[in-house]
Amino acid sequence: MDNKADDPVLLSIPDRFESRRLVIRSALWGDGEAVNEAVRESAVELRPWMPWARLLPTPEQSEASIRRSRLEFLERTDLRLLLFNKETGVLIGSSGLHRIDWQTRKFEIGYWVRTSYGRQGYITEAVKAITDYAAQELQANRIEIRCDSRNVQSARVAERCGFTLEGILRNDKCDVEGLLRDTMIFSKVRGVEY
């Protein structure tokens, strides 16, 4: 590992890239309004899986979250990425690389899609592009996707993107209602899947 692994702030990481239909970029100050609009539209679908969606944020809370995300991106502690439709410029969802371990170059991809853009393949497209980005730009050795075992749509994205189900952690976390849930762990590992 080079010296930059000792201080990830020194890493030059592209904060914008594209897939066929998407512009995928880091959060920027001023993105809060678009995120707030997408979350409000999608709250019913997000609530079962995303604890942060239980209470709808105000536009100011969304902007504060975006600004924290921007700082985390610059510090390289969390790489939140926003997904924009190339043709319209509309925010269609959010993703990113989380739970980063720079020493082992391990990342977890998280994602959600705006309701009006669901079931159109956008998240699968984004996850494939982010996986390539992590492998090529960040030299990822391991990329994970974790989801509630009941979240069939999220698991299908992992499967469509070629991630391997490594196992299911039983009674691993509490869901948004406080009940125990199982967590599915999918991964791609350098030298095996890419």
Side-chain angles (χ1 to χ4, degrees):
M1 203 65 40
D2 60 19
N3 291 340
K4 291 179 181 177
D6 295 334
D7 191 350
V9 169
L10 297 174
L11 294 170
S12 294
I13 299 176
D15 64 356
R16 182 185 193 278
F17 55 99
E18 296 182 5
S19 64
R20 186 172 62 84
R21 299 180 292 169
L22 298 170
V23 171
I24 302 168
R25 69 161 170 80
S26 63
L28 299 174
W29 288 26
D31 284 334
E33 184 178 331
V35 169
N36 187 270
E37 182 182 299
V39 168
R40 287 180 170 279
E41 175 188 315
S42 309
V44 171
E45 288 80 13
L46 294 173
R47 277 190 187 119
W49 319 116
M50 306 291 186
W52 52 262
R54 289 198 70 181
L55 299 173
L56 288 177
T58 65
E60 293 79 15
Q61 289 169 326
S62 293
E63 181 62 26
S65 174
I66 284 293
R67 291 182 183 205
R68 281 190 292 279
S69 292
R70 181 66 186 159
L71 295 173
E72 290 167 347
F73 190 95
L74 295 172
E75 292 174 338
R76 310 304 192 221
T77 56
D78 187 89
L79 306 178
R80 183 177 183 179
L81 298 167
L82 301 179
L83 313 173
F84 294 90
N85 181 295
K86 262 189 197 179
E87 288 184 16
T88 64
V90 172
L91 177 81
I92 64 112
S94 184
S95 188
L97 295 162
H98 316 293
R99 298 182 191 196
I100 298 170
D101 180 337
W102 286 109
Q103 183 178 15
T104 59
R105 298 286 173 139
K106 179 175 79 170
F107 306 87
E108 179 182 332
I109 298 178
Y111 43 83
W112 61 267
V113 67
R114 185 180 194 144
T115 299
S116 56
Y117 286 85
R119 299 181 186 270
Q120 297 175 47
Y122 284 105
I123 293 299
T124 299
E125 180 178 330
V127 169
K128 286 179 180 177
I130 293 166
T131 299
D132 290 345
Y133 168 82
Q136 295 167 14
E137 300 293 338
L138 308 177
Q139 289 73 53
N141 291 311
R142 177 179 174 84
I143 305 167
E144 294 180 348
I145 294 175
R146 293 175 177 239
C147 66
D148 186 314
S149 63
R150 299 167 299 175
N151 190 341
V152 175
Q153 288 179 291
S154 188
R156 284 190 183 139
V157 168
E159 292 163 354
R160 280 193 299 269
C161 292
F163 282 71
T164 300
L165 176 62
E166 289 188 334
I168 300 174
L169 302 178
R170 296 175 300 159
N171 291 344
D172 176 54
K173 296 202 177 281
C174 288
D175 66 13
V176 295
E177 300 297 327
L179 303 173
L180 287 172
R181 66 152 227 218
D182 299 340
T183 302
M184 300 174 81
I185 301 177
F186 295 87
S187 74
K188 277 194 173 191
V189 178
R190 182 177 294 281
V192 179
E193 288 97 359
Y194 62 92

